[in-house]
């Protein structure tokens, strides 16, 4: 009874702390480039009321489907135009993803594996990250995981509602990021049927009925794409690519959605490409699935090995196959970003949970030792990096993050010393994720946002009683956050022209140019700027940080 009370108290403490860390993330400043751009597009959609056609800075925008913008616009309507309103519905979908992973674990294994898989997913680095740095992948992952759970539940129960729910989830996932929202659940369902020897059911007519339902739900988006692009073949559309802006004529929005922007990155039809290697997602998985990534690699090997063994108990192919196929498919893409793989993380959580709950207690030797040692290493490295962030990178001015760090370290030590073997690994890993991201959310990110000038420039413009329509921008840095917080689309000009505007946002180099032209001006405000999503060692080092910064100015042109 004493152990039960202690352990439940510890887990209650965990649920409280992880909730606080996630809640803090909902109110952080919005980061340039992608997240701030999506927030700016959503605000523009909310203010114009045009929900079927997507525009950015009053120009056609085709890069992403509209569902994130719809939900964020709804968030603005309910909560106002702010960070919380932008993130709220994405956060709900991330919770849906965790819950769906739990239900998948129950369905494929048992309740305990379901609970552990949800715990692993909710405390991996990726999940903390894309709940404050919101991308379309947040909704995509939640909806696609929900779809997989519903369709597998339908195959077991034969009830109609999960069938409808599954294809509804697919439609939401597709409206978030395209056909990948269909492909991942389809891999899971297909693998499930083949593993049971029921492969013929893959060709059952009911799947066509489900796709018809999905298509019906996609109609508003497809209608918007058709009227905005396909119905106007003479229209010229500018798209941002990895090599810069490109102008296209006769672009099909529907083809772009179903093929070019997704499969085209593998076939070469998309103009997006980079120099990333085939092994890009290997090292990205190590940090983004931390503190569970080493366990996940051991678990994947164990899961496949056990599946190939003669023992038929708990053979399960859905999670390893879905994860591996997604991993190799994304690795084949000509353009890669870390969050592309996040949609496969629920499946990694499933086979990792299976390994920790059902295999690890039975193992002996180096594997069992490695499982414990790697958890110590992750906890130690995370704690040391957190200290480095608080004491060196951004020295602590208050003690909030120090308290979070100390609390997390104590909880990790208690977990490792007091709990039984399996529970100790789980609790230590969970508290490691909470401790590290608590320091990030309460200390590191707020300090980092000091070097993204958009919010502060918008605040200064408002405080100075300057109308945003009187301000023009002559600055190459991303201004999405500035436009979001100003709730205004600024005029832009490569050169400062007194005839165009009296107030300008510009760089130091541009000030030298107008000084050479004998244009008189007054500096109203200046702010250090850095591209905070592209961190480097020189910026993180306070001694060399100044060399990485660029000044941004709000100036007023003096009357002649």
């Amino acid at each position: 009874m004493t152990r039960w009370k202690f352990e439940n108290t510890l887990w209650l403490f965990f649920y409280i702390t992880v909730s606080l860390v996630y809640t803090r993330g909902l109110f952080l400043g919005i980061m340039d480039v992608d997240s701030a751009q999506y927030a700016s597009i959503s605000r523009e959609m909310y203010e114009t009321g045009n929900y079927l056609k997507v525009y950015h800075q009053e120009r056609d925008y085709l890069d992403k489907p509209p569902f994130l913008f719809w939900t964020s616009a709804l968030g603005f309507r309910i909560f106002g135009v702010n960070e919380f309103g932008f993130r709220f519905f994405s956060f709900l979908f991330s919770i849906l993803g965790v819950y769906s992973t739990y239900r998948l674990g129950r369905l494929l294994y048992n309740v305990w594996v379901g609970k552990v898989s949800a715990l692993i997913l909710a405390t991996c680095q990726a999940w903390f990250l894309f709940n404050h740095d919101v991308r379309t992948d947040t909704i995509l992952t939640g909806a696609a995981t929900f779809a997989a759970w519903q369709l597998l539940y339908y195959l077991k129960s034969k009830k109609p509602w999960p069938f409808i729910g599954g294809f509804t989830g697919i439609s939401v996932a597709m409206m978030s990021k395209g056909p990948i929202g269909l492909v991942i659940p389809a891999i899971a369902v297909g693998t499930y049927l083949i593993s049971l020897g029921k492969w013929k059911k893959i060709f059952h007519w009911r799947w066509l009925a489900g796709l018809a339902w999905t298509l019906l739900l996609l109609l508003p988006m497809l209608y918007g794409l058709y009227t905005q692009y396909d119905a106007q073949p003479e229209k010229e559309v500018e798209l941002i690519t990895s090599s810069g802006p490109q102008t296209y004529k006769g672009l099909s929005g529907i083809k772009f959605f179903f093929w070019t922007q997704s499969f085209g990155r593998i076939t070469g039809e998309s103009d997006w490409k980079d120099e990333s290697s085939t092994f890009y997602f290997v090292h990205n998985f190590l940090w983004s699935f931390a503190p569970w990534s080493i366990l996940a690699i051991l678990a994947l090997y164990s899961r496949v090995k056990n599946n190939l063994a003669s023992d038929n108990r708990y053979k399960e192919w859905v999670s390893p196959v879905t994860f591996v196929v997604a991993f190799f498919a994304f690795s084949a893409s000509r353009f890669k970003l870390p969050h592309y793989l996040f949609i496969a993380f629920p499946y990694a959580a499933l086979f990792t949970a299976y390994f920790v709950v059902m295999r690890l207690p039975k193992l002996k030797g180096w594997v069992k030792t490695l499982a414990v040692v790697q958890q110590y290493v992750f906890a130690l490295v995370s704690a040391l990096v957190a200290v480095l962030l608080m004491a060196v990178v951004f020295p602590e001015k208050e003690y909030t993050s120090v308290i979070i760090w100390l609390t997390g370290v104590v909880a990790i030590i208690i977990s490792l010393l007091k709990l039984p073997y399996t529970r100790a690994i789980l609790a230590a890993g969970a508290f490691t994720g909470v401790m590290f991201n608590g320091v990030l959310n309460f200390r590191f990110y707020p300090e980092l946002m000091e070097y993204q000038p958009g919010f502060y420039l918008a605040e200064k413009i408002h405080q100075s009683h300057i109308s945003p329509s009187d301000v023009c921008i002559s600055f190459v840095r991303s201004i999405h956050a500035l436009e979001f917080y100003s709730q205004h689309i600024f005029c832009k000009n490569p050169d400062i022209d007194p005839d165009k505007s009296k107030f300008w946002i510009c760089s130091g180099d541009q000030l030298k140019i107008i000084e050479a032209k004998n244009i008189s001006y007054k500096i109203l405000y200046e702010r250090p700027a850095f591209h905070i999503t592209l961190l480097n060692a020189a910026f993180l080092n306070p001694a060399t940080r100044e060399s990485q910064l660029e000044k941004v100015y709000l100036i007023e042109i003096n009357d002649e």
Side-chain angles (χ1 to χ4, degrees), residues 113-151:
V113 171
K115 289 181 178 180
V116 172
S117 61
L119 173 73
I120 289 172
L121 186 64
T123 53
C124 75
Q125 190 60 36
W127 222 256
F128 285 104
L129 179 63
F130 78 177
N131 267 290
H132 75 81
D133 190 21
V134 170
R135 313 292 179 102
T136 53
D137 303 79
T138 314
I139 296 176
L140 165 71
T141 304
T145 309
F146 171 77
W149 158 48
Q150 288 284 280
L151 291 176

Side-chain angles (χ1 to χ4, degrees), residues 236 251 335 349 392 462 528:
E236 291 187 348
L251 198 63
F335 185 82
V392 178
H462 175 73

